[in-house]
Amino acid sequence: MVRGADGDAGGERTRRSLLRWSLAVGAGALSGCSLFGAAGDEPTVSPMPVDGGATDTATDPVSPAPRTPRDGVDRTPERGTETGTRTATPPPEGWPVAQGDDARTGWRPEGTGPIVEATVSAEPAWSVALGGAVRGSVAVADGVAYAGSEAGAVTALSAAGPGAAGAGAPRTVTRAAESAGAAATRWTHDAGDAVRATPTVAGGVVYCGDEQGTLTALDAADGSERWSFSVAGDRAGPTAVRSGPAVADDTAYFGATDGRVYAVDTADGAERWRFDAGGFLGVVTPVALADGRVFAGSYAGRLCAVDAGTGREEWTYAGPGRTRTWSGPTVADGVVYAGASPGGVAAVDALAGIERWVRETDGTVFSSPAVADGTLFVGTDAGSVLALDAADGSERWRHEAGAPVKSSPAVVGGRVYVGTDAGSVLALDAETGDVRWRFEAEGAVQSDPAVVDGRVFVGDAAGTVYALGDPGE
């Protein structure tokens, strides 16, 4: 069932949303008051406090407390300067962030995937055991693959595999490399706690979060620590950074399970601002960065847009009243797409926060959507991979994977690559949903595939990183 996409009515809704947005800006309504009241099943666009607990300063989210990095140097966080022109820097070659780019589209129109004969099982070009479950995804940049594990480490591997580790012998920063992967290991950093986040690589630095609520910046060349930043951790419940940041304009943007979105300086880790999105498990999926705004989904049942320069709330979308969580989001062509619990996918205007459509699904959507050439691809916990029309949410095809799909799809070369909780990596035809090939890993694959130079890089719950493709490539 699709709500909110009905031809001319949808166009009228967009016109009304733009009018409301312009009136709200003129009246200064973006700070602390509702743009309009909700009626029936209409969405709510308003700044909201967190659920029944302690909050940051409600009227001014740009009020960070002083931080003290681990080096003992006291730094006063900066107050960001307002801007409407901050944009994400195009990513370098490879797949340096979760879902390939800061907008989290999961699409590389010029990329190439493995060449595998139709309907046959793929084989890994190489695999490396990391000693702990790989829950996050693999980032690939400049010929190096980076992965975190629940063994408490961030590991840099040669993307070409064992025997091609490049100049010099493998290096280890704070712990011994796994012997099975020693030939491919460049370096390993001991994080001190489980790492479920996907590393982000930008400007020669690897940024990675961990389960103790720390974002650490590592030198991409040797894994040495540049700085670390700890989230506030002043609320009941888990405090963890479970997603890699979006990095642009000398700032790293990321969410944490304390319910906040943080912006920190990439030079020294000093906090620039924090924004309260709320929720007991807070913000566990990657934030998206596009057109000078940071977009975040929260376990408080909210989808938020925040000014990247100041941390000021631009809008909050609550969606249907029964929505408990929002995951994702993904931004494409001025629209924010996100998954929900109970099951559904929503499309929201990125400028005004007005709902365009909501599509009910057969299960909760923890998978972040991929958007490619007018089609949205997403997995559900009921075991479906769906292809939806990005304009109105209508279904184009579905593939029954036979197990929950928490992995976020990657779309490259006419194929949709996605993992399942049963341990399969699927390559589906982007036009029809037919299986072109599959690979069976040893454990559940909740890792989002990274597709680079004819190979698919994924991790599994058994603790192995795979590069799927021709070993000779």
Side-chain angles (χ1 to χ4, degrees):
M1 176 180 176
V2 181
R3 190 188 81 193
D6 55 355
D8 291 341
E12 181 62 24
R13 174 174 292 178
T14 301
R15 288 190 289 274
R16 291 199 307 268
S17 73
L18 292 176
L19 176 60
R20 285 169 176 153
W21 175 259
S22 62
L23 290 174
V25 171
L30 289 179
S31 296
C33 62
S34 176
L35 295 183
F36 56 88
D41 214 19
E42 286 292 318
T44 299
V45 183
S46 62
M48 295 183 180
V50 297
D51 295 338
T55 67
D56 291 332
T57 304
T59 58
D60 182 10
V62 194
S63 302
R67 318 301 301 159
T68 304
R70 290 179 177 178
D71 59 10
V73 177
D74 187 23
R75 300 185 178 98
T76 301
E78 298 183 18
R79 175 183 291 267
T81 56
E82 186 170 350
T83 176
T85 59
R86 296 167 69 92
T87 57
T89 302
E93 294 295 325
W95 203 274
V97 297
Q99 293 184 268
D101 56 49
D102 288 337
R104 315 298 182 182
T105 64
W107 182 32
R108 284 296 171 84
E110 305 301 324
T112 57
I115 299 175
V116 179
E117 292 184 15
T119 71
V120 304
S121 296
E123 296 297 333
W126 56 261
S127 62
V128 174
L130 299 186
V134 180
R135 304 292 184 184
S137 305
V138 181
V140 183
D142 301 319
V144 181
Y146 303 89
S149 74
E150 290 192 347
V154 180
T155 304
L157 305 164
S158 170
R171 287 179 287 186
T172 300
V173 176
T174 54
R175 62 189 287 164
E178 293 290 330
S179 59
T185 303
R186 298 280 187 100
W187 51 258
T188 302
H189 168 79
D190 190 342
D193 208 330
V195 177
R196 296 184 180 179
T198 300
T200 293
V201 188
V205 179
V206 180
Y207 303 88
C208 202
D210 61 40
E211 288 297 292
Q212 62 185 349
T214 302
L215 179 74
T216 303
L218 307 173
D219 191 291
D222 60 15
S224 58
E225 184 174 319
R226 293 190 174 187
W227 52 259
S228 64
F229 170 86
S230 295
V231 304
D234 56 352
R235 292 178 176 167
T239 298
V241 177
R242 291 183 179 168
S243 60
V247 178
D249 299 314
D250 302 320
T251 307
Y253 306 93
F254 63 98
T257 59
D258 68 355
R260 301 181 178 102
V261 176
Y262 292 86
V264 301
D265 193 303
T266 56
D268 58 9
E271 183 176 308
R272 291 188 167 181
W273 54 256
R274 68 175 73 163
F275 171 80
D276 201 336
F280 179 71
L281 290 177
V283 182
V284 298
T285 55
V287 301
L289 178 65
D291 298 324
R293 289 181 174 182
V294 180
F295 301 88
S298 168
Y299 267 65
R302 303 166 199 152
L303 186 63
C304 304
V306 181
D307 184 274
T310 65
R312 181 192 65 204
E313 179 177 304
E314 300 289 4
W315 51 257
T316 293
Y317 168 77
R322 66 188 185 281
T323 302
R324 295 190 301 271
T325 69
W326 286 107
S327 62
T330 295
V331 186
D333 299 321
V335 182
V336 185
Y337 302 92
S341 172
V345 178
V348 179
D349 186 278
L351 174 64
I354 304 301
E355 178 186 301
R356 292 196 173 189
W357 54 258
V358 172
R359 171 82 192 197
E360 293 182 2
T361 59
D362 55 1
T364 298
V365 177
F366 292 117
S367 168
S368 295
V371 180
D373 199 22
T375 303
L376 180 149
F377 303 92
V378 72
T380 77
D381 250 26
S384 299
V385 180
L386 303 176
L388 307 178
D389 189 300
D392 60 15
S394 58
E395 185 176 307
R396 292 185 170 178
W397 56 254
R398 73 169 53 209
H399 172 80
E400 299 300 342
V405 179
K406 295 182 175 68
S407 171
S408 301
V411 187
V412 177
R415 300 286 183 266
V416 180
Y417 302 95
V418 69
T420 78
D421 281 10
S424 299
V425 178
L426 304 175
L428 307 177
D429 188 290
E431 292 294 327
T432 66
D434 295 336
V435 177
R436 294 308 181 191
W437 58 260
R438 67 192 304 135
F439 170 75
E440 300 299 335
E442 294 180 2
V445 178
Q446 297 177 354
S447 173
D448 310 337
V451 186
V452 180
D453 295 334
R455 288 183 175 175
V456 177
F457 298 84
V458 294
D460 71 5
T464 302
V465 171
Y466 302 89
L468 306 179
D470 186 344
E473 292 177 353

